[in-house]
Amino acid sequence: MRTVLMVAEKPSLAQSIAKILSRGNMSSRKGLNGVCSVHEYTGSFIGQSAHFKMTSVCGHVMTLDFIGKYNSWDKVDPAELFSKAPTEKKEANPKLTMVKFLQVEGRGCDSIVLWLDCDKEGENICFEVLDAVLPVMNKSPSTERMIYRAKFSSITDTDICNAMNHLGEPNLNEALSVDARQELDLRIGCAFTRFQTKYFQGKYGNLDSSLISFGPCQTPTLGFCVERHDKIQSFKPETYWVLQAKVNPEKESSLTLDWDRVRVFDREIAQMFLNITKMAKEAKVESVSKKEKVKQRPLALNTVEMLRVASAALGMGPQHAMQIAERLYTQGYISYPRTETTHYPENFDLKGCLRQQANNPYWAETVKALLSEGINRPRKGHDAGDHPPITPMKAATEVELGGDSWRLYEYITRHFIATVSADCKYLQTNISFSIGPERFNCVGKVVTSPGFTEIMPWHSIALEESLPSCEKGDLFPVGEIKLLEMQTSPPDYLTEAELITLMEKHGIGTDASIPVHINNICQRNYVTVESGRRLKPTNLGIVLVHGYYKIDAELVLPTIRSAVEKQLNLIALGKANYHQVLEHTLDIFKRKFHYFVDSIAGMDELMEVSFSPLAATGKPLSRCGKCHRFMKYIQAKPSRLHCSHCDDTYSLPQNGTIKLYKELRCPLDDFELVLWSSGSRGKSYPLCPYCYNHPPFRDMKKGMGCNECTHPTCQHSLSMLGIGQCVECENGVLVLDSTSGPKWKMACNKCNVIVHFFENAHKVRVSPETCELCDAALVDVDFNKAKSPLPGDETQHSGCVFCDPVFQDLVELKHAAMRHPMHRGGQGKRQGRGRGKGRRPGGRPNPKKPKDKMAALAAYFV
């Protein structure tokens, strides 16, 4: 019996596909990473009996990054990132141990069926999976095929079974196009971002952005927003005049006419026309025309149109809308939401999809009428050759989905029903009048067949004032003629929907990446989202774009990225060489980078006008260890300390508060210590600004505070305040927070575990003694007599936090309430358990993990 491994892109997809293929007759178990399940069943494969194992990954298995030393901003010249810096594939999420999990499940399998999403990213993940599992699979005879690719667009019985019966092969060219895009974005983005971030953050204190990032797609996206801002700023309103006339067809009614000249910009000429027309007392009908017109039903729905409507009509940001659409797809409610196609294939079961909606109270009548009278073939749209248009695949209710999920599903369904409905037909009547020598007109519309507007009422023909029945030569009394003074108005800021249109038009990003680029410029504080989801550039965003225009306009114009996207598409089609495209594009941007660096003064001149230099920003906080003058604390992102006398800047932990720490000084460099805190419910630790940026010991890394410092005698160091190994993470040490009294706590110096203990104690001190059972440091606790929880009215006790029964009820484990998971830079690894590497002062070995109490704490935490 053959063993067949099948891999989907998400756990929920794997379960749905396995359920369909096994007809529900399967067994399920958790995989070793605890996230991905394995669903097993027996069946037939290529004419043979087979044992199937269906599992999944969680998106990309691997990610591209520079090797070790090239990830250091301080040690590497950004120019080296274009060619010299080697890259490597790393696990995208090491905690998931996805490679090991796939190898465990793939070991001994004879064949593999790849059920990854059917787009370029999905093809790329196919080869990531193959790289992991092929080495451990059974070797087949050279003539026997092992690798199969399933192509599907929806999670329905028909589509999944059809995909299983028509298996193909993964597309290497599409996978290579993704590899090329990843490497280009990594090398180009990192080089420019590192250079301009270090340059400008070293000079200005109120940029209010932790990263001055550049992206080959992100920057042109920002450029569109700033271009519209510039048009608004440079707009000069002009006054114009409009002649408005009203006629009275009947005594009690009036009809407003539009002037054929529309408007004039000269007041004297406008006044002349007014005087001439005022001499006429009657308006004469010059012509009456009636014409039946058609408002076409919409094209089938693709990703870009869905994102446009979600933003403009539903008030959802593109990334949020995409996340909801992906969830609806994995749950089987809609077809694959990433598609450029607006044309249904001839064999698409339109009636079957329509029947699914026959019982929904919102559109049941419309659907039943279409099914009985016959549907209209959707309009011929664009066939990109990827997936069918976005289509509802099964019925849903508002109660079932709720909130934004229902609103997006409702729109997708209404759009689909509209594509198979009739066009909207209406009768348009145009009446032309003459008042003296001037011509006026009015237009009326009467709907004769509402068609698709019944299901999409927001597209209905607007109700207009009814026109009188008249013939050529009829005369109507003139009721009023007046001159209206108006002004031209500037354009408004771009909406997300308009930005998406521009990005699609100029080839910036793909249907999958457009939401990411828009989200990035918002997250980087380059634009803010105003009411109506309009994107208003910030000072930083404006200065950056103007600076790029000043130095090299191609860095911000869409032309060069659009050309790169075309080359990437040629790789996907097998018409361009992967290595040649990569080498040629990097060479272009490398030259541009060197010119940008040489010309940075041009952008700096613009920065000087909008932002304050470091020396003029912030408030005095702590003393510099070199000159002993006060350094200024700059609170704007990224928060840092700056000594204007030495002209040195020191980075600090982010997303917390910083204050002076008792005016205590570091014994190594004489800098005053500061205290970082994430809040009363979070963790806090002191740090030396100099040591935080320039690690004093080999086993320390940049971005470590005193709670990770291995100084042997400093009273604030890990060596003196470390108690025992963290109960949750492998490398962390629980360190006493000596500032936390009377609500004492110890916190892990790696993860966000916090242990609260000895509330209301007068004093808590880490003893040089160790526990005989677990080698953790003992703790000396001193309580006030009135509040002592110790037995026998004792006020002092020394013991192990983990093993001492007296302390058992005084310890509580919690997760820190962090403002952001990345609360500090740098990761340090430590061997053994306890306060640091090797032995503590006095020769005490590192403590081992306590067996019973640690287990109890961990169980309590879970």
Side-chain angles (χ1 to χ4, degrees):
M1 180 182 286
R2 295 172 68 91
T3 303
V4 181
L5 178 67
M6 302 200 293
V7 183
E9 192 155 321
K10 293 178 182 175
S12 56
L13 275 177
Q15 183 179 11
S16 299
I17 294 168
K19 195 172 182 180
I20 291 169
L21 294 175
S22 68
R23 295 182 175 84
N25 188 22
M26 64 182 186
S27 61
S28 301
R29 58 180 170 83
K30 278 284 184 189
L32 66 83
N33 63 8
V35 176
C36 302
S37 296
V38 183
H39 311 283
E40 300 183 76
Y41 65 97
T42 55
S44 176
F45 184 73
I46 319 294
Q48 301 178 36
S49 60
H51 175 71
F52 291 94
K53 293 165 71 173
M54 166 61 89
T55 188
S56 74
V57 291
C58 295
H60 274 283
V61 179
M62 311 299 286
T63 187
L64 188 71
D65 202 357
F66 297 112
I67 64 166
K69 77 167 190 176
Y70 289 95
N71 280 315
S72 171
W73 285 40
D74 298 318
K75 296 178 182 177
V76 177
D77 180 354
E80 293 183 31
L81 302 180
F82 284 98
S83 52
K84 288 184 181 179
T87 59
E88 62 179 342
K89 290 274 190 176
K90 299 177 180 177
E91 284 205 50
N93 190 341
K95 289 184 179 179
L96 294 179
T97 59
M98 194 60 72
V99 171
K100 184 179 179 182
F101 164 69
L102 289 170
Q103 289 177 343
V104 167
E105 298 302 334
R107 192 175 302 278
C109 290
D110 302 293
S111 305
I112 181 169
V113 181
L114 299 157
W115 289 87
L116 286 308
D117 286 351
C118 298
D119 56 12
K120 293 186 182 79
E121 295 290 336
E123 297 301 324
N124 190 262
I125 300 172
C126 282
F127 286 91
E128 292 175 355
V129 171
L130 292 175
D131 287 342
V133 301
L134 283 181
V136 299
M137 289 176 63
N138 291 338
K139 304 301 178 190
S140 64
S142 57
T143 56
E144 192 172 337
R145 185 174 158 198
M146 293 174 62
I147 303 165
Y148 299 86
R149 176 72 161 111
K151 296 279 187 179
F152 58 102
S153 296
S154 62
I155 315 301
T156 61
D157 292 15
T158 304
D159 214 9
I160 295 301
C161 292
N162 188 55
M164 191 66 178
N165 293 330
H166 299 86
L167 295 173
E169 295 180 355
N171 189 321
L172 179 60
N173 290 326
E174 289 191 357
L176 285 174
S177 74
V178 174
D179 283 339
R181 179 182 281 108
Q182 287 177 349
E183 187 162 348
L184 289 174
D185 289 351
L186 175 71
R187 292 185 182 277
I188 297 167
C190 285
F192 278 91
T193 297
R194 289 186 190 183
F195 171 72
Q196 61 188 28
T197 298
K198 289 186 70 177
Y199 186 88
F200 291 120
Q201 284 185 354
K203 294 192 70 174
Y204 302 102
N206 57 342
L207 296 175
D208 201 25
S209 180
S210 55
L211 203 67
I212 314 298
S213 65
F214 174 92
C217 286
Q218 170 196 300
T219 304
T221 301
L222 174 62
F224 290 129
C225 300
V226 175
E227 183 184 15
R228 176 61 65 88
H229 167 83
D230 291 343
K231 285 181 180 177
I232 294 169
Q233 295 302 307
S234 62
F235 183 85
K236 292 181 180 178
E238 288 186 82
T239 304
Y240 64 91
W241 288 266
V242 175
L243 206 57
Q244 188 186 77
K246 289 185 179 180
V247 296
N248 299 324
E250 298 173 6
K251 287 184 180 180
E252 300 296 325
S253 67
S254 68
L255 187 65
T256 303
L257 308 182
D258 297 320
W259 192 21
D260 277 11
R261 294 183 191 272
V262 184
R263 60 186 178 180
V264 293
F265 287 88
D266 189 304
R267 171 69 196 240
E268 290 182 4
I269 292 175
Q271 187 65 46
M272 178 194 73
F273 285 127
L274 176 65
N275 294 338
I276 291 171
T277 52
K278 272 195 169 182
M279 294 170 65
K281 301 300 179 185
E282 290 182 318
K284 181 181 178 182
V285 177
E286 296 292 341
S287 66
V288 179
S289 64
K290 294 187 178 183
K291 188 175 182 181
E292 189 175 76
K293 293 204 168 187
V294 172
K295 185 173 185 177
Q296 284 190 311
R297 59 193 181 278
L299 286 167
L301 186 64
N302 66 2
T303 306
V304 169
E305 181 62 18
M306 179 189 73
L307 296 177
R308 270 197 291 254
V309 173
S311 176
L314 305 180
M316 298 182 199
Q319 192 164 40
H320 177 55
M322 201 68 226
Q323 289 169 348
I324 292 172
E326 286 173 353
R327 196 182 313 131
L328 290 171
Y329 162 67
T330 58
Q331 292 170 342
Y333 289 107
I334 64 172
S335 61
Y336 192 61
R338 289 197 181 109
T339 177
E340 297 175 17
T341 294
T342 57
H343 176 73
Y344 281 106
E346 295 299 322
N347 60 351
F348 194 90
D349 187 10
L350 294 166
K351 284 188 176 179
C353 293
L354 197 59
R355 285 192 198 98
Q356 295 275 356
Q357 305 298 330
N359 295 318
N360 190 298
Y362 289 106
W363 44 74
E365 287 185 17
T366 305
V367 169
K368 287 173 181 175
L370 283 170
L371 289 170
S372 63
E373 296 168 11
I375 65 171
N376 291 276
R377 187 74 200 163
R379 287 168 59 195
K380 187 173 178 62
H382 168 65
D383 185 0
D386 49 359
H387 288 272
I390 303 169
T391 308
M393 301 310 295
K394 71 176 182 181
T397 63
E398 189 171 0
V399 174
E400 194 176 338
L401 296 179
D404 288 345
S405 294
W406 165 253
R407 292 168 64 224
L408 188 61
Y409 174 83
E410 180 186 11
Y411 172 73
I412 291 168
T413 305
R414 286 183 181 276
H415 191 110
F416 167 68
I417 297 170
T419 62
V420 295
S421 299
D423 292 335
C424 172
K425 295 178 182 178
Y426 60 95
L427 188 66
Q428 180 170 298
T429 304
N430 284 60
I431 306 176
S432 179
F433 293 88
S434 62
I435 303 177
E438 289 303 295
R439 288 293 187 100
F440 295 82
N441 69 81
C442 61
V443 178
K445 297 173 185 175
V446 177
V447 175
T448 55
S449 173
F452 78 94
T453 61
E454 285 188 329
I455 195 70
M456 299 177 88
W458 55 91
H459 282 302
S460 298
I461 302 297
L463 292 173
E464 297 176 351
E465 52 187 327
S466 58
L467 300 184
S469 56
C470 57
E471 294 179 357
K472 184 178 178 180
D474 286 354
L475 299 173
F476 295 105
V478 176
E480 179 187 26
I481 296 180
K482 60 183 178 180
L483 202 58
L484 302 178
E485 183 179 308
M486 297 181 177
Q487 277 194 328
T488 56
S489 57
D492 210 336
Y493 285 103
L494 283 178
T495 63
E496 284 174 333
E498 291 167 337
L499 179 58
I500 290 167
T501 302
L502 285 171
M503 292 174 74
E504 182 192 32
K505 177 183 175 182
H506 293 281
I508 300 300
T510 63
D511 52 3
S513 66
I514 282 173
V516 177
H517 302 315
I518 295 175
N519 187 61
N520 281 343
I521 63 172
C522 297
Q523 294 294 318
R524 300 280 188 266
N525 194 34
Y526 295 160
V527 300
T528 56
V529 182
E530 306 290 312
S531 62
R533 300 209 67 83
R534 294 189 178 275
L535 302 170
K536 183 178 181 181
T538 62
N539 270 348
L540 180 58
I542 294 164
V543 170
L544 280 175
V545 169
H546 289 174
Y548 293 134
Y549 271 116
K550 194 172 183 179
I551 296 171
D552 182 355
E554 284 191 335
L555 291 175
V556 72
L557 289 171
T559 47
I560 193 165
R561 182 59 193 196
S562 180
V564 171
E565 288 288 348
K566 287 176 183 174
Q567 291 299 310
L568 294 175
N569 286 332
L570 289 175
I571 293 174
L573 295 170
K575 295 179 180 179
N577 181 276
Y578 163 79
H579 295 289
Q580 289 176 352
V581 170
L582 203 59
E583 187 178 340
H584 177 66
T585 307
L586 287 173
D587 183 59
I588 291 172
F589 274 95
K590 185 178 181 180
R591 293 168 189 268
K592 288 183 174 295
F593 177 77
H594 284 297
Y595 183 74
F596 180 75
V597 171
D598 294 340
S599 311
I600 193 65
M603 184 182 282
D604 198 19
E605 289 171 2
L606 300 176
M607 286 281 187
E608 283 178 348
V609 176
S610 298
F611 300 103
S612 305
L614 281 172
T617 313
K619 296 179 180 179
L621 179 71
S622 65
R623 290 185 184 273
C624 170
K626 296 178 182 179
C627 65
H628 297 99
R629 288 179 169 85
F630 275 104
M631 297 188 293
K632 285 188 174 181
Y633 171 48
I634 299 161
Q635 199 166 357
K637 287 183 180 180
S639 58
R640 53 211 190 274
L641 286 168
H642 177 70
C643 177
S644 54
H645 184 264
C646 302
D647 197 22
D648 287 330
T649 304
Y650 301 96
S651 60
L652 296 170
Q654 303 298 304
N655 304 296
T657 58
I658 292 282
K659 62 182 181 181
L660 190 62
Y661 185 53
K662 304 177 184 177
E663 297 186 359
L664 297 171
R665 294 177 183 267
C666 175
L668 294 173
D669 48 51
D670 211 30
F671 273 71
E672 282 188 333
L673 302 182
V674 294
L675 183 73
W676 177 88
S677 173
S678 65
S680 58
R681 294 191 301 133
K683 60 194 283 186
S684 59
Y685 56 84
L687 62 107
C688 163
Y690 190 84
C691 294
Y692 187 83
N693 290 270
H694 305 93
F697 304 111
R698 284 186 179 181
D699 54 358
M700 290 180 64
K701 292 185 178 180
K702 185 177 179 179
M704 289 185 170
C706 296
N707 62 344
E708 294 183 83
C709 177
T710 52
H711 191 293
T713 58
C714 175
Q715 60 177 321
H716 315 293
S717 70
L718 168 67
S719 303
M720 301 302 289
L721 295 178
I723 294 175
Q725 182 172 337
C726 177
V727 297
E728 187 170 308
C729 70
E730 291 184 6
N731 299 319
V733 178
L734 293 167
V735 181
L736 174 66
D737 182 350
S738 56
T739 68
S740 59
K743 295 186 177 182
W744 297 92
K745 59 190 174 188
M746 56 180 175
C748 177
N749 61 6
K750 299 290 185 188
C751 70
N752 59 346
V753 162
I754 285 183
V755 176
H756 292 270
F757 53 13
F758 315 130
E759 188 170 351
N760 296 320
H762 174 64
K763 189 184 294 183
V764 176
R765 186 176 64 85
V766 180
S767 167
E769 305 299 322
T770 58
C771 174
E772 293 180 359
L773 294 175
C774 68
D775 277 347
L778 299 185
V779 178
D780 299 330
V781 188
D782 186 356
F783 283 96
N784 290 323
K785 192 167 185 178
K787 295 183 178 181
S788 176
L790 300 175
D793 294 330
E794 291 184 12
T795 58
Q796 295 181 343
H797 187 77
S798 180
C800 176
V801 171
F802 307 107
C803 306
D804 194 322
V806 175
F807 286 160
Q808 191 163 1
D809 296 327
L810 305 179
V811 178
E812 180 184 5
L813 184 66
K814 286 187 177 179
H815 252 145
M818 302 304 296
R819 298 186 184 185
H820 190 282
M822 296 301 290
H823 62 281
R824 59 156 181 78
Q827 290 290 322
K829 290 195 175 181
R830 185 184 50 78
Q831 297 169 344
R833 310 199 64 86
R835 311 181 194 199
K837 290 186 179 179
R839 295 172 175 263
R840 294 188 69 224
R844 189 178 77 187
N846 286 325
K848 296 173 285 189
K849 180 180 276 192
K851 296 174 184 177
D852 46 2
K853 182 62 179 179
M854 276 289 192
L857 274 172
Y860 172 84
F861 176 73
V862 172

